[in-house]
Amino acid sequence: MAVQVNTPAQALTSPQRLYAIKSLALIGVTEVRAGVFMFGDLLQAGVGAVAMEDIALSVLATVIGHQRARGWIITDAGWMALSHDRGTARQKVDQGYGAVCDLGGKPYPDLIVADANQEHGIVTLRRGSRGRLPDPPVGARLRILPNHACATGAQHDRYRVLDAEGRVSAVWPRINGW
């Protein structure tokens, strides 16, 4: 037995399109697959789809050293933790491998992960910045906002959900594989 239903459907998967469209129903959108939109990321902030302060996903990194003569803060979060995505390099503001925030999630002005190897991130001021490099001690924790939430999330086996006080209130396991 076959049943044919003549209900036209149009799926929307891109947050950039969501941002640009005032009323989805007016153009016939019947389904939205939000994807990265639930977290937000620096790519989305770069196109105006989310505000930077609304990005809900971050990687917790630990300061493991300094190279003060080079203006570097070294963390334990390299591209294995952040992803190798450099999508913001093509945007007006290049965020390196991620924007650096304090433990509470407030971004440091012009502080980015400028370079990364597999296990280490090189945190420094954005090229041309007149800002002041902070001096977090070894062992300090920093939050890094990702360029691409999907690619960063895929590097980890779970999400730790924080409450308003910054405490872990839930752990969401990820389903990995295709």
Side-chain angles (χ1 to χ4, degrees):
M1 176 180 182
V3 177
Q4 181 176 357
V5 179
N6 291 325
T7 305
Q10 181 178 359
L12 186 65
T13 59
S14 172
Q16 289 96 330
R17 291 184 194 159
L18 277 173
Y19 177 71
I21 297 168
K22 299 290 185 208
S23 176
L24 300 176
L26 290 177
I27 62 163
V29 173
T30 58
E31 176 183 346
V32 175
R33 294 181 219 136
V36 72
F37 199 68
M38 70 178 273
F39 289 125
D41 58 27
L42 293 169
L43 283 165
Q44 300 311 308
V47 298
V50 299
M52 198 162 164
E53 59 269 14
D54 292 330
I55 296 173
L57 185 71
S58 64
V59 173
L60 186 61
T62 303
V63 174
I64 60 171
H66 299 90
Q67 287 194 19
R68 288 182 176 88
R70 293 182 169 184
W72 291 358
I73 301 165
I74 315 294
T75 71
D76 63 354
W79 55 257
M80 285 292 289
L82 301 170
S83 94
H84 214 235
D85 192 311
R86 289 279 292 110
T88 61
R90 296 182 303 273
Q91 292 184 331
K92 184 178 178 182
V93 177
D94 182 0
Q95 301 286 7
Y97 287 89
V100 182
C101 304
D102 65 18
L103 191 56
K106 181 181 178 192
Y108 288 101
D110 288 332
L111 196 63
I112 61 171
V113 180
D115 200 2
N117 61 36
Q118 183 173 342
E119 297 174 354
H120 301 106
I122 309 297
V123 174
T124 191
L125 291 170
R126 181 184 329 278
R127 189 180 309 254
S129 173
R130 295 182 184 267
R132 187 173 158 272
L133 185 70
D135 191 23
V138 170
R141 307 304 284 280
L142 303 171
R143 292 200 175 280
I144 302 173
L145 302 178
N147 280 327
H148 186 174
C150 298
T152 299
Q155 303 294 95
H156 303 274
D157 66 347
R158 70 195 67 151
Y159 298 113
R160 288 174 180 83
V161 181
L162 305 181
D163 63 19
E165 285 76 43
R167 296 181 305 246
V168 175
S169 61
V171 176
W172 296 346
R174 284 190 24 84
I175 298 171
N176 295 309
W178 298 100

